[in-house]
Each structure stands twice: as C-alpha cells, then as structure tokens.
Amino acid sequence: MRFSLRSGRHAVPPVPGPRASRATGSREQPSVPVPAQHRPADHPSGPMPVPAPAARPDDARLVDDDPATVEVVASRSTARLLETVAPRTWRIVATDRPSHHPCVDFVVFVEPAPALVVDVIERQPGAEVVVLLARNAPTKRIVAMLDAGVSICLRESPARLVAGHMVARRRRGGPRRRTRV
C-alpha cells in the first residue's frame, strides 16, 4: 500500500489561489517583524554570515604525557574510535584475541565472557582490563564482570568517555583490582 498526499481518506486538499506569485519571487508579508537572524538571503540586509566548520583541534584528544599501549580485542571500530580521542602518546592496537604481552597497559573488551576476563587478568597482572557492555546489559552481567576483576566496566559509552576513564585510572596509579569472589 502506497501513501500519497493526494489520494485516500487522509488526502491533503489542494491550496486555493494562484501559484504564480511564488514563482515571481513576491512573498507574503509576515504579521510580526522577522528578527534579523531569520531574514532570508534576498533581504536588503544581505545574508547572514555562515560560520566556518569547526576543524578538529588538537585539544579534541585527551592529554597524558606517559606512553601507553592499549589492546582492543575483537572490535576494530572501537579501536578506531579510541584512536581519535586517546592521547597522542598512546598506541592503540586492534587484535583478534588477547596477546598476553607484558607491555600492554590496557586490554579493552566488548561483551566478553567472564572466563576470558579472568584468563587475561591472571596472565597479564600489570594490565588494566576495560569491559564495554551493551546499553541494556543486565546488572547481573556488570556484577559478573566486576567480580571477575575488571578495572573499568561501562555500558555503551562514547570513546571519549572510555578514554577518559583510562587516563584517570593511569593518573591514580597502577592496577588495584579487587580480589575475585
């Protein structure tokens, strides 16, 4: 079934009157004066200046002087988004599975199994584990991740917020995880 404004019981009636006045450019005068910022471009006062598009300044990135290596597991899009906002001194690496390398500072997972988190924490005691869950993730899932020992657990957050949590975690010091329950 197709919807049309000209047919059916919800049809819009045609507007009476000549349509030639619109083609010639004459306009109906408003009953209330139009503010200067809302005047059309053909008004005697001229068009309003259009601001230049804002370029992404360097301050769009977070600041951290110390280098860090962030390993994003199984989510290349998350790695790209983090790379745009993470401090310039950080190295973001997208991998298919955890590398268990001792030089990795953060391991970022998207919707992991708790057993995988426990394995990474045991094999990489110096790395901070970051888990990103879906917006509607049940509270039990978050509790399971925290009980597994993750450092940061967030529900569907923008990359800038995730990177901000990681920078704050670095500024507070090394990994201080709770003991697993």
Side-chain angles (χ1 to χ4, degrees), residues 8 15 56 96 118 121 127 143 148 152 161:
V15 178
R56 289 210 54 128
D96 293 329
V118 170
I121 289 171
V143 171
I152 302 168
L161 181 66

mmCIF file of all heavy atoms in Angstrom, residues 8 15 56 96 118 121 127 143 148 152 161:
data_model
loop_
_atom_site.group_PDB
_atom_site.id
_atom_site.type_symbol
_atom_site.label_atom_id
_atom_site.label_comp_id
_atom_site.label_asym_id
_atom_site.label_seq_id
_atom_site.Cartn_x
_atom_site.Cartn_y
_atom_site.Cartn_z
ATOM 1 N N GLY A 8 -6.687 8.952 -1.089
ATOM 2 C CA GLY A 8 -7.040 8.293 0.159
ATOM 3 C C GLY A 8 -7.809 9.213 1.080
ATOM 4 O O GLY A 8 -8.038 10.392 0.808
ATOM 5 N N VAL A 15 -4.194 23.670 -2.282
ATOM 6 C CA VAL A 15 -4.204 25.043 -1.776
ATOM 7 C C VAL A 15 -4.817 25.933 -2.838
ATOM 8 O O VAL A 15 -4.349 25.960 -3.975
ATOM 9 C CB VAL A 15 -2.765 25.500 -1.445
ATOM 10 C CG1 VAL A 15 -2.762 26.934 -0.964
ATOM 11 C CG2 VAL A 15 -2.150 24.581 -0.432
ATOM 12 N N ARG A 56 38.742 19.872 13.685
ATOM 13 C CA ARG A 56 39.052 19.133 14.918
ATOM 14 C C ARG A 56 40.374 19.643 15.462
ATOM 15 O O ARG A 56 41.425 19.355 14.921
ATOM 16 C CB ARG A 56 39.124 17.651 14.645
ATOM 17 C CG ARG A 56 37.763 17.103 14.362
ATOM 18 C CD ARG A 56 37.578 15.713 14.765
ATOM 19 N NE ARG A 56 37.896 15.411 16.138
ATOM 20 C CZ ARG A 56 37.068 14.799 16.940
ATOM 21 N NH1 ARG A 56 35.876 14.516 16.529
ATOM 22 N NH2 ARG A 56 37.428 14.467 18.144
ATOM 23 N N ASP A 96 42.649 -9.741 17.339
ATOM 24 C CA ASP A 96 41.542 -10.690 17.334
ATOM 25 C C ASP A 96 41.394 -11.406 18.669
ATOM 26 O O ASP A 96 40.314 -11.837 19.029
ATOM 27 C CB ASP A 96 41.722 -11.720 16.217
ATOM 28 C CG ASP A 96 41.595 -11.072 14.849
ATOM 29 O OD1 ASP A 96 40.843 -10.092 14.739
ATOM 30 O OD2 ASP A 96 42.267 -11.531 13.914
ATOM 31 N N VAL A 118 38.899 -13.324 33.288
ATOM 32 C CA VAL A 118 39.694 -13.946 34.352
ATOM 33 C C VAL A 118 41.028 -14.435 33.802
ATOM 34 O O VAL A 118 42.082 -14.233 34.418
ATOM 35 C CB VAL A 118 38.899 -15.102 35.010
ATOM 36 C CG1 VAL A 118 39.789 -15.915 35.934
ATOM 37 C CG2 VAL A 118 37.706 -14.559 35.759
ATOM 38 N N ILE A 121 43.367 -11.445 33.202
ATOM 39 C CA ILE A 121 43.834 -10.877 34.464
ATOM 40 C C ILE A 121 44.923 -11.754 35.080
ATOM 41 O O ILE A 121 45.920 -11.255 35.614
ATOM 42 C CB ILE A 121 42.653 -10.668 35.427
ATOM 43 C CG1 ILE A 121 41.791 -9.519 34.918
ATOM 44 C CG2 ILE A 121 43.137 -10.391 36.842
ATOM 45 C CD1 ILE A 121 40.487 -9.336 35.648
ATOM 46 N N ALA A 127 48.254 -5.370 33.493
ATOM 47 C CA ALA A 127 47.350 -4.691 32.564
ATOM 48 C C ALA A 127 46.017 -4.372 33.235
ATOM 49 O O ALA A 127 45.516 -5.144 34.043
ATOM 50 C CB ALA A 127 47.108 -5.556 31.336
ATOM 51 N N VAL A 143 27.873 -7.049 37.359
ATOM 52 C CA VAL A 143 28.397 -7.610 38.606
ATOM 53 C C VAL A 143 29.351 -8.765 38.304
ATOM 54 O O VAL A 143 30.413 -8.892 38.928
ATOM 55 C CB VAL A 143 27.243 -8.052 39.527
ATOM 56 C CG1 VAL A 143 27.754 -8.841 40.713
ATOM 57 C CG2 VAL A 143 26.453 -6.838 39.997
ATOM 58 N N ALA A 148 34.831 -10.638 38.258
ATOM 59 C CA ALA A 148 35.944 -11.253 37.529
ATOM 60 C C ALA A 148 37.220 -10.442 37.707
ATOM 61 O O ALA A 148 38.312 -10.958 37.476
ATOM 62 C CB ALA A 148 35.596 -11.390 36.052
ATOM 63 N N ILE A 152 37.691 -1.325 34.734
ATOM 64 C CA ILE A 152 36.678 -0.379 34.271
ATOM 65 C C ILE A 152 35.600 -1.162 33.545
ATOM 66 O O ILE A 152 35.904 -1.953 32.650
ATOM 67 C CB ILE A 152 37.287 0.677 33.322
ATOM 68 C CG1 ILE A 152 38.415 1.444 34.010
ATOM 69 C CG2 ILE A 152 36.219 1.626 32.813
ATOM 70 C CD1 ILE A 152 39.237 2.292 33.065
ATOM 71 N N LEU A 161 34.632 9.138 26.599
ATOM 72 C CA LEU A 161 34.395 8.776 27.994
ATOM 73 C C LEU A 161 35.228 7.553 28.388
ATOM 74 O O LEU A 161 35.815 7.514 29.468
ATOM 75 C CB LEU A 161 32.909 8.499 28.226
ATOM 76 C CG LEU A 161 32.507 8.125 29.646
ATOM 77 C CD1 LEU A 161 32.725 9.302 30.579
ATOM 78 C CD2 LEU A 161 31.062 7.697 29.681
#
